[in-house]
Amino acid sequence: MVMQFAFGEIPCPLCLLQRVAMFGCCFGLLQQLRARESERGGGIALLFALLLLVIAARQTLLDIVPRPGHAYIGTAVFGLHMPVWSVVIAVSLLLALALRLTVFGAPRPLPPAARPPLAQAARLLEFYVVLICALNLASVVFQCGLGECHTSGYRLLT
């Protein structure tokens, strides 16, 4: 979203799908922080990380060799474009969640008085993620309206 608002780079439909998958990963990880007695949040994060990997890999493979007349879209950050960063993020999440399950196994139930400090910090993170999600929804509505999305401009502002 920084690239969108700071540099005026309008996201393509695949980029918007990657954002949805990243928000799903965030919500799964936040659920895992809040409910340590369940692995449901980790499972949600795993599913959305897989979805992110599929979408980002597809876009990366489409853009490996740009078609004639279609330059690679977007600015590179540290030499990598956003779809490639999404692949790196998805693979990192999948590895981290798999390693956590391998090393620590299933969580042990904790008494309510012994809630970890991360569960309390998760409230602030939840607010932040919901705020970013709402900003993303508003920007998508401005870009796409109620129809098909294009990267040519903001439909409701033109």
Side-chain angles (χ1 to χ4, degrees):
M1 290 182 75
V2 170
M3 302 300 276
Q4 177 180 353
F5 293 120
F7 299 109
E9 294 183 7
I10 298 173
C12 67
L14 285 174
C15 296
L16 295 174
L17 285 175
Q18 289 171 44
R19 285 185 187 179
V20 170
M22 283 192 196
F23 286 132
C25 291
C26 287
F27 284 117
L29 292 172
L30 287 170
Q31 172 66 24
Q32 190 64 41
L33 284 175
R34 293 190 75 214
R36 290 202 25 120
E37 64 276 353
S38 171
E39 287 296 320
R40 183 171 289 132
I44 292 169
L46 277 170
L47 285 175
F48 276 102
L50 282 171
L51 178 65
L52 175 61
L53 182 61
V54 168
I55 295 168
R58 182 191 192 303
Q59 185 173 3
T60 301
L61 290 173
L62 285 173
D63 292 338
I64 281 179
V65 179
R67 297 166 295 186
H70 294 86
Y72 203 98
I73 298 173
T75 305
V77 177
F78 298 117
L80 298 177
H81 290 275
M82 288 299 131
V84 180
W85 276 114
S86 293
V87 169
V88 169
I89 290 168
V91 169
S92 299
L93 276 171
L94 289 169
L95 285 173
L97 289 166
L99 282 173
R100 185 182 67 83
L101 285 173
T102 302
V103 172
F104 298 112
R108 294 175 208 85
L110 295 174
R115 292 194 56 136
L118 285 179
Q120 296 160 358
R123 289 258 185 229
L124 291 173
L125 289 172
E126 287 170 1
F127 177 74
Y128 175 74
V129 170
V130 168
L131 178 68
I132 295 295
C133 205
L135 285 173
N136 184 60
L137 176 64
S139 74
V140 169
V141 169
F142 276 115
Q143 179 183 346
C144 306
L146 298 176
E148 189 176 332
C149 260
H150 295 286
T151 56
S152 58
Y154 291 101
R155 186 169 290 173
L156 295 184
L157 297 178
T158 57

